[in-house]
């Protein structure tokens, strides 16, 4: 279960988001920074699935590190858009995506980091905490959907 979750996290979340951000910016410096943090995460991810896996535990390290990566990458996007565009950020779909990613990642980083502790307290506490996660998922999905209404990618 843990390996499947880790593969999901890398192949379906991290890699496509970094690729989307990479294709949506013009600055060579920021593209290089995205590649560097993507490679650092890939090395950590490989280390995690190879040596640091703890059976029967939620692997919060990989989720927290991915959330931090998403926040940093989204900040790069916001910086690039504010420095290079003459249009409002509301007109760029990638700004809505970056807002949703930042909100979700920042909001759930504590949920992911404390998952094993809360699981030890009991399933009812974990369910309450997971409802917080669902709230952030719903809010971020609304922001992602809003990005489809933009004229500029």
């Amino acid at each position: 279960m843990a390996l499947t979750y880790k593969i999901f996290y890398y192949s379906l979340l991290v890699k496509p988001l970094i690729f989307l951000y990479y294709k949506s910016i013009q600055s060579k410096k920021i593209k290089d920074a995205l590649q560097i943090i993507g490679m650092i995460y890939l090395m950590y991810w490989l280390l995690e699935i190879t040596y640091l896996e703890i059976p029967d535990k939620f692997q919060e390290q990989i989720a927290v590190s991915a959330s931090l990566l998403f926040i940093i990458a989204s900040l790069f996007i916001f910086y690039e858009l504010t420095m290079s565009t003459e249009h409002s950020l509301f007109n760029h779909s990638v700004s809505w995506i970056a807002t949703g990613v930042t909100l979700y990642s920042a909001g759930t980083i504590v949920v992911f980091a404390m998952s094993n502790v809360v699981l030890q307290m009991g399933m009812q506490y974990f369910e309450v905490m997971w409802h917080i996660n669902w709230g952030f998922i719903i809010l971020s999905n609304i922001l992602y959907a809003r990005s489809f209404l933009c004229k500029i990618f």
Side-chain angles (χ1 to χ4, degrees):
M1 193 297 285
L3 183 61
T4 304
Y5 179 74
K6 290 177 188 178
I7 291 171
F8 165 77
Y9 231 89
Y10 180 71
S11 61
L12 293 180
L13 295 177
V14 174
K15 200 164 55 169
L17 184 69
I18 294 297
F19 181 75
L20 172 77
Y21 283 175
Y22 185 84
K23 289 297 185 180
S24 68
I25 58 175
Q26 307 300 320
S27 171
K28 175 96 169 92
K29 282 185 191 176
I30 295 178
K31 282 187 175 192
D32 290 344
L34 284 174
Q35 285 181 330
I36 290 169
I37 63 172
M39 291 304 294
I40 290 170
Y41 181 81
L42 175 61
M43 288 186 291
Y44 176 71
W45 180 78
L46 288 172
L47 177 74
E48 177 78 22
I49 65 168
T50 306
Y51 300 109
L52 302 176
E53 184 170 354
I54 302 170
D56 299 331
K57 286 217 171 213
F58 178 74
Q59 302 297 312
E60 74 269 352
Q61 298 93 346
I62 208 75
V64 169
S65 61
S67 293
L68 289 173
L69 171 86
F70 292 155
I71 292 168
I72 292 168
S74 295
L75 290 175
F76 284 144
I77 290 298
F78 288 130
Y79 176 77
E80 167 75 14
L81 288 174
T82 56
M83 292 304 188
S84 67
T85 185
E86 62 276 352
H87 303 288
S88 171
L89 289 180
F90 296 116
N91 295 333
H92 289 270
S93 63
V94 75
S95 70
W96 288 100
I97 294 169
T99 302
V101 167
T102 304
L103 182 68
Y104 175 75
S105 297
T108 59
I109 200 164
V110 174
V111 172
F112 291 144
M114 300 298 294
S115 291
N116 286 323
V117 173
V118 175
L119 271 172
Q120 290 175 350
M121 293 170 59
M123 197 60 180
Q124 68 273 14
Y125 293 105
F126 187 78
E127 286 178 10
V128 169
M129 197 164 95
W130 212 248
H131 288 301
I132 295 169
N133 181 40
W134 288 341
F136 283 112
I137 288 173
I138 291 167
L139 191 55
S140 62
N141 282 330
I142 290 169
L143 292 170
Y144 301 150
R146 170 58 178 92
S147 73
F148 289 112
L149 301 175
C150 295
K151 296 176 184 157
I152 304 169
F153 177 71

